[in-house]
């Protein structure tokens, strides 16, 4: 299984901690490790390979922080890189990486800037997702909500199985409260699992313009060692779209895994404060 790690975010809501040249995924916020390093470390326990999608500026940050992991935890997974000259959102980023993989390769797509604290439960949901991905489905991970959050999209399940009924945009507070009370709505984590070929087939069906532009861009790539570089003019020609809009909301081949994994997108100073406070308390308990 290959972990596609999306590193293109800039974390503007955490400015000035997160800046263009040092976005939040590379800032060492937790126990002297960055969210990127924690993502790599966590997924190295369930994946065989990494495929890091980044822009050129962040490429060297990723290289340096992977080298640090190699020196501290004997991290040795093979790693490829896809460098985007400009961002075109998540659907093209994932598609371009999938073109470099075998169609039957199972892919775990994760952002590089999320925190997951319950790794035991995380490995359980990953295992279940892999079972579903082997059945040719696209899997998304729905975070069990703990409050009526208005800053996340929601996934509605059918309430009796892992089938997805609908995706919902960020709601107002009243709607979010109704979602929580219903019990079959989950926060959209932005994590996915599927076979590379299954995703590309769905993209071709539901967003053929993105698919065809990605084909051209990938065919004209430049490869140096383990790094795939997309040319600026071809990247610019790809429509900018998220995987949610391009595929997930249109496909009838999507499953959701309810996930209680201690997840946070660390997307605001309030969220960062909460997580640092929890980790601080846990650290104190360990010392006691």
């Amino acid at each position: 299984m290959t972990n596609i790690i999306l590193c293109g975010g800039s974390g503007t809501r955490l400015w000035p901690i997160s800046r263009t040249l040092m976005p939040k995924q590379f800032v060492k916020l937790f126990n002297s490790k960055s969210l990127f390093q924690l993502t790599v470390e966590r997924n190295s326990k369930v994946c065989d390979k990494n495929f890091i999608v980044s822009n050129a500026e962040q490429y060297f940050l990723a290289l340096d922080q992977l080298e640090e992991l190699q020196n501290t935890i004997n991290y040795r997974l093979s790693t490829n890189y896809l460098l985007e000259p400009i961002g075109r959102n998540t659907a093209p980023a994932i598609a371009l990486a999938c073109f470099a993989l075998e169609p039957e390769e199972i892919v775990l797509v994760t952002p590089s800037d999320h925190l997951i604290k319950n790794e035991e439960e995380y490995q359980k949901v990953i295992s279940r997702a892999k079972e579903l991905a082997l059945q040719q489905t696209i899997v998304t991970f729905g975070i069990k909500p703990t409050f009526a959050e208005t800053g996340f999209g929601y996934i509605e399940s059918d309430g009796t199985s892992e089938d997805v009924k609908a995706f919902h945009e960020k709601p107002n507070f009243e709607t979010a409260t109704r979602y929580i009370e219903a019990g079959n709505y989950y926060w959209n984590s932005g994590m996915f699992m599927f076979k590379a070929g299954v995703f590309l087939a769905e993209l071709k069906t539901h967003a053929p313009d993105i698919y065809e532009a990605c084909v051209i861009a990938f065919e004209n790539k430049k490869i140096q060692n383990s790094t795939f570089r997309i040319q600026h003019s071809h990247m610019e020609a790809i429509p900018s779209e998220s995987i949610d809009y391009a595929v997930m909301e249109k496909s009838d081949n999507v499953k959701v895994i309810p996930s209680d994994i201690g997840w946070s997108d660390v997307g605001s100073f309030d969220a960062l404060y909460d997580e640092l406070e929890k980790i601080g308390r846990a650290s104190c308990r360990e010392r006691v």
Side-chain angles (χ1 to χ4, degrees), residues 1 15 59 67 80 192 212 219 283:
M1 185 160 64
W15 185 90
Y59 170 57
E67 184 176 352
N80 290 325
F192 310 94
E212 295 299 338
E219 287 177 346
S283 178

Side-chain angles (χ1 to χ4, degrees), residues 58-172:
Q58 295 170 2
Y59 170 57
F60 294 103
L61 290 172
L63 280 175
D64 290 343
Q65 293 201 355
L66 277 180
E67 184 176 352
E68 289 179 10
L69 285 183
Q70 290 172 346
N71 294 331
T72 57
I73 65 169
N74 198 29
Y75 166 83
R76 289 293 182 271
L77 293 192
S78 64
T79 302
N80 290 325
Y81 295 86
L82 177 79
L83 300 189
E84 301 176 309
I86 55 174
R88 278 294 180 258
N89 217 316
T90 53
I94 296 167
L96 290 167
C98 284
F99 276 122
L101 301 172
E102 294 296 325
E104 289 295 304
E105 179 74 4
I106 294 179
V107 171
L108 171 63
V109 178
T110 61
S112 61
D113 58 354
H114 291 180
L115 182 67
I116 292 173
K117 300 183 292 296
N118 190 341
E119 290 199 22
E120 182 178 353
E121 186 63 25
Y122 179 70
Q123 291 183 21
K124 290 179 182 178
V125 299
I126 291 295
S127 178
R128 175 55 183 157
K130 190 172 182 178
E131 292 175 1
L132 294 174
L134 286 169
Q135 299 171 24
Q136 315 300 319
T137 62
I138 292 180
V139 184
T140 184
F141 299 82
I143 305 301
K144 293 182 179 179
T146 54
F147 59 94
E149 172 63 62
T150 60
F152 299 149
Y154 283 73
I155 304 167
E156 180 184 0
S157 75
D158 69 357
T160 59
S161 69
E162 294 160 325
D163 291 338
V164 172
K165 188 174 180 180
F167 286 81
H168 299 275
E169 296 303 308
K170 298 174 183 178
N172 58 33

